């Protein structure tokens, strides 16, 4: 997703380069002008302080870990806070390094200026530097403490204790999150309404990840993004994959290596499957990150990457070459790769939308094998990609082999209410029409305090800082969100005052 898969969105920098790949002629890359920085909002690194919180290892078992603790990282800024009075804006960290989210969520800081808030970005256990068992965190059974419930308890304990330390017990708390982080913001309001007064859940696919959606929806909506630029773009992608399929069926592996500039020739059906996954993942990331300006979140992306991709796919009659160059927008943004390493650039996992790379990918893979249900498929009928199924049986087989666990497909629906949210309150569900995750979330308001907002953009664009190239829809969405949150803060302050 990172799913996030937003890691995600899990999302990690796919343009990571192995030194062994540096040599003479680079692969296709975009001109540097595509990546020139534009005017952005606040520079998060200038006002956040990095700190660590002594966190309980296991909130729900008094025997297994005793009173064991680990160091959980968080970022904090009181630069705009009216001490002891202003609200607390708390970002429920998701599947990655917390700095990645802080540096790409400038709206929260802009809102803090307006409402004189304290801002905290908390890192999710088992991600970034918040590893409960260090390098052993991803071993069995140590990884068993990586659950949604443990993460929510972490945030609730952290909020409660920091409010005491900072003399902020009367300060209303609003949670924010994007993608999986947005899901966590919803769950915080459901499970700990005594601690959080409201939540902004940006691009939070709480329905599809609970196994409640259509398994075809995600890659259908990725396809729609490219089709909306030009139907010919969709047809070119589908045609390129068809040509690749024909080469694979005739076992013309040397030609495939040449056409896609692979570091090694494929030699099996598994290698072709891996190539399909790598290519499909490039389109997934461009659809998720289809921002109107260049970004450096989950890798380097040009402005309007879906449009750039379609221009590349339609740049000539060599469909396979165009497909390779389109993938290069994602995997070779730096322009220094001389070949594509199939198994280093992309890892197949329990999330068909990608788990990213490095330790964070291990953590997300485990979560996708336990609570987060991501059984999405492409079929080449409702989408433009090769048929690649990922059924509940596929998931169960993979996860039992990889992590010695049996997934619980319906657990999130049971634990966090599914679509039966009518008794909840004070949650904003924001989604954008360009985001393939959007239709896995809440698109229509459920009550006067469960409010759906359409940002009109890509994956949690509304959380990003203000930008000259923002569409009018996201400017209006942020204004709506700011007004609602201001009202929540006033209501909670009144409630707290009546208790004191």
């Amino acid at each position: 997703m990172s799913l996030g898969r937003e890691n995600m969105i899990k999302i990690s920098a796919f343009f990571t380069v192995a030194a062994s790949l540096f040599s003479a002629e680079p692969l296709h890359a975009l001109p540097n002008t595509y990546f020139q920085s534009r005017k952005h909002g606040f520079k998060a690194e200038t006002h956040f302080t990095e700190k660590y919180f002594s966190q309980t290892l296991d909130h729900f078992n008094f025997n297994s870990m005793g009173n064991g603790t680990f160091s959980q990282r968080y970022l904090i800024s009181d630069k705009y806070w009216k001490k002891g009075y202003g609200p607390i804006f708390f970002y429920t960290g998701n599947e990655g390094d917390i700095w990645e989210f802080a540096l790409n969520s400038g709206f929260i800081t802009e809102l803090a200026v307006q409402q004189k808030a304290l801002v905290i970005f908390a890192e999710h256990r088992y991600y970034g530097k918040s590893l409960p068992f260090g390098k052993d965190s991803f071993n069995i059974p140590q990884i068993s403490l990586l659950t949604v419930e443990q993460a929510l308890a972490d945030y609730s304990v952290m909020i409660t204790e920091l409010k005491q330390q900072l003399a902020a017990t009367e300060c209303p708390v609003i949670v924010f999150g994007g993608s999986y982080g947005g899901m966590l913001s919803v769950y915080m309001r459901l499970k700990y309404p005594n601690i959080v007064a409201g939540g902004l859940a940006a691009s939070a696919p709480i329905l599809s990840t609970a196994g409640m959606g259509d398994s075809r929806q995600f890659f259908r909506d990725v396809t729609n993004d490219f089709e909306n630029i030009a139907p010919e773009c969709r047809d070119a992608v589908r045609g390129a994959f068809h040509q690749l399929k024909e080469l694979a069926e005739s076992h013309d592996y040397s030609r495939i290596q040449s056409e896609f500039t692979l570091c090694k020739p494929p030699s099996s059906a598994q290698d072709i499957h891996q190539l399909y996954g790598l290519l499909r993942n490039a389109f997934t990331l461009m659809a998720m990150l289809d921002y109107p300006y260049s970004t450096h979140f989950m890798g380097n992306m040009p402005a309007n990457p879906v449009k750039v991709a379609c221009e590349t796919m339609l740049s000539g009659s060599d469909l396979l070459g165009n497909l390779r160059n389109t993938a290069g927008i994602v995997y070779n943004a730096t322009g220094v790769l001389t070949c594509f390493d199939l198994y280093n650039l992309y890892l197949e996992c329990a999330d068909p939308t990608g788990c990213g790379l490095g330790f964070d990918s291990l953590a997300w893979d485990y979560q996708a094998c336990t609570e987060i249900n991501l059984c999405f498929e492409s079929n080449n009928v409702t989408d433009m990609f090769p048929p690649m199924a990922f059924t509940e049986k596929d998931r169960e087989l993979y996860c039992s082999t990889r992590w010695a666990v049996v997934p619980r497909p319906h657990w999130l629906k049971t634990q966090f209410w599914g679509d039966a949210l009518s008794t909840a309150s004070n949650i904003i569900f924001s989604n954008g029409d360009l985001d393939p995750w959007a239709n896995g979330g809440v698109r229509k308001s459920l009550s006067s305090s469960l409010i759906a907002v359409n940002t009109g953009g890509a994956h949690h664009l509304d959380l990003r800082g203000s930008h000259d190239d923002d569409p009018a829809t996201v400017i209006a969405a942020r204004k709506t969100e700011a007004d609602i949150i201001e009202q929540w803060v006033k209501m909670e302050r009144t409630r707290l005052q009546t208790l004191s």
Side-chain angles (χ1 to χ4, degrees):
M1 158 191 338
S2 229
L3 253 158
R5 256 291 346 243
E6 198 103 311
N7 312 327
M8 346 320 280
I9 324 181
K10 46 192 167 347
I11 301 183
S12 85
F14 286 96
F15 56 88
T16 300
V17 176
S20 62
L21 299 182
F22 290 8
S23 64
E25 293 296 321
L27 290 168
H28 166 87
L30 294 170
N32 287 336
T33 52
Y34 274 104
F35 298 100
Q36 288 175 354
S37 60
R38 303 292 295 273
K39 180 182 176 184
H40 290 272
F42 291 84
K43 295 296 183 184
E45 67 268 27
T46 61
H47 61 86
F48 278 111
T49 301
E50 181 177 293
K51 294 189 175 184
Y52 285 85
F53 181 84
S54 181
Q55 186 61 264
T56 302
L57 274 170
D58 188 347
H59 296 280
F60 307 111
N61 189 319
F62 289 88
N63 289 334
S64 67
M65 297 292 168
N67 291 320
T69 61
F70 73 99
S71 294
Q72 183 175 18
R73 182 165 60 163
Y74 67 99
L75 312 177
I76 187 166
S77 173
D78 63 359
K79 183 173 182 179
Y80 309 105
W81 187 37
K82 185 175 181 181
K83 288 183 170 54
Y85 181 82
I88 297 171
F89 292 165
F90 187 94
Y91 185 92
T92 52
N94 35 319
E95 71 281 28
D97 187 300
I98 194 59
W99 277 107
E100 271 285 289
F101 302 111
L103 294 172
N104 287 277
S105 303
F107 170 62
I108 298 173
T109 297
E110 294 173 8
L111 199 59
V113 176
Q114 296 174 22
Q115 301 192 19
K116 299 179 174 56
L118 176 71
V119 180
I120 300 171
F121 277 75
E123 190 164 71
H124 195 297
R125 59 167 56 203
Y126 288 83
Y127 291 97
K129 291 186 177 180
S130 299
L131 304 180
F133 303 97
K135 61 181 175 56
D136 295 326
S137 296
F138 305 99
N139 296 339
I140 301 168
Q142 288 90 332
I143 197 166
S144 65
L145 294 179
L146 172 53
T147 67
V148 171
E149 291 79 6
Q150 297 280 5
L152 297 176
D154 288 343
Y155 297 150
S156 299
V157 168
M158 181 184 287
I159 291 169
T160 302
E161 294 197 17
L162 289 181
K163 286 181 77 172
Q164 290 286 344
Q165 293 175 19
L166 298 168
T169 54
E170 300 299 306
C171 297
V173 178
I174 306 295
V175 287
F176 297 76
S179 197
Y180 169 52
M183 293 165 56
L184 295 175
S185 287
V186 173
Y187 302 158
M188 283 291 290
R189 179 61 187 163
L190 299 182
K191 290 292 183 182
Y192 298 99
N194 55 315
I195 292 173
V196 300
L200 169 54
S203 300
I206 61 167
L207 303 180
S208 60
T209 56
M212 299 179 64
D214 182 341
S215 63
R216 302 167 296 178
Q217 171 263 316
F218 185 86
F219 291 110
R220 181 191 68 215
D221 288 354
V222 171
T223 299
N224 287 345
D225 282 354
F226 292 85
E227 183 178 13
N228 289 338
I229 296 293
E232 297 84 359
C233 178
R234 172 207 61 204
D235 295 342
V237 174
R238 185 174 274 147
F241 275 115
H242 181 70
Q243 290 186 16
L244 174 55
K245 176 174 175 279
E246 290 185 327
L247 290 177
E249 287 176 343
S250 63
H251 294 165
D252 196 347
Y253 293 142
S254 61
R255 172 90 183 279
I256 292 173
Q257 180 188 20
S258 173
E259 291 286 357
F260 289 93
T261 324
L262 304 179
C263 300
K264 297 177 182 177
S267 59
S268 65
Q270 175 55 41
D271 288 347
I272 298 302
H273 179 81
Q274 179 73 10
L275 177 57
Y276 284 161
L278 176 139
L279 294 169
R280 186 180 69 173
N281 193 66
F283 288 94
T284 295
L285 284 170
M286 287 185 282
M288 284 174 56
L289 304 177
D290 193 23
Y291 301 129
Y293 47 83
S294 63
T295 56
H296 307 281
F297 176 53
M298 305 192 298
N300 289 344
M301 282 286 173
N304 304 300
V306 171
K307 181 173 182 287
V308 174
C310 284
E311 290 170 352
T312 305
M313 283 305 306
L314 298 172
S315 62
S317 59
D318 180 6
L319 290 184
L320 291 178
N322 294 345
L323 182 57
R324 176 198 65 227
N325 293 342
T326 301
I329 297 169
V330 173
Y331 297 114
N332 197 29
T334 55
V336 301
L337 283 185
T338 58
C339 62
F340 290 133
D341 187 319
L342 275 182
Y343 291 93
N344 277 339
L345 288 170
Y346 171 72
L347 301 178
E348 188 176 31
C349 65
D351 179 358
T353 75
C355 280
L357 302 170
F359 281 151
D360 289 346
S361 73
L362 299 177
W364 186 247
D365 189 32
Y366 181 79
Q367 290 198 261
C369 270
T370 50
E371 297 179 295
I372 313 294
N373 190 336
L374 295 162
C375 288
F376 303 160
E377 67 171 53
S378 59
N379 55 42
N380 202 236
V381 176
T382 57
D383 56 68
M384 62 189 181
F385 303 110
M388 297 176 72
F390 189 64
T391 64
E392 293 290 356
K393 283 192 172 181
D394 293 331
R395 182 189 185 209
E396 186 171 327
L397 178 61
Y398 170 83
C399 295
S400 62
T401 302
R402 176 64 184 87
W403 295 107
V405 296
V406 177
R408 298 179 188 171
H410 308 296
W411 176 241
L412 282 188
K413 180 180 178 182
T414 301
Q415 176 76 323
F416 299 110
W417 306 15
D419 59 357
L421 294 165
S422 59
T423 57
S425 64
N426 291 10
I427 304 171
I428 299 168
F429 301 94
S430 67
N431 285 286
D433 294 332
L434 299 183
D435 183 11
W437 290 104
N439 289 321
V442 175
R443 300 303 308 268
K444 294 181 179 178
S445 295
L446 303 176
S447 72
S448 60
S449 67
L450 297 172
I451 304 158
V453 173
N454 187 3
T455 69
H459 205 46
H460 48 71
L461 174 61
D462 50 326
L463 288 186
R464 300 185 63 82
S466 300
H467 192 284
D468 289 346
D469 294 329
D470 279 334
T473 49
V474 79
I475 295 171
R478 290 189 188 117
K479 176 67 167 61
T480 297
E481 292 163 358
D483 290 346
I484 293 169
I485 290 169
E486 185 177 22
Q487 288 304 310
W488 289 345
V489 168
K490 288 179 180 177
M491 289 167 53
E492 179 66 2
R493 185 169 284 127
T494 300
R495 188 187 72 85
L496 290 171
Q497 287 171 350
T498 60
L499 296 175
S500 59

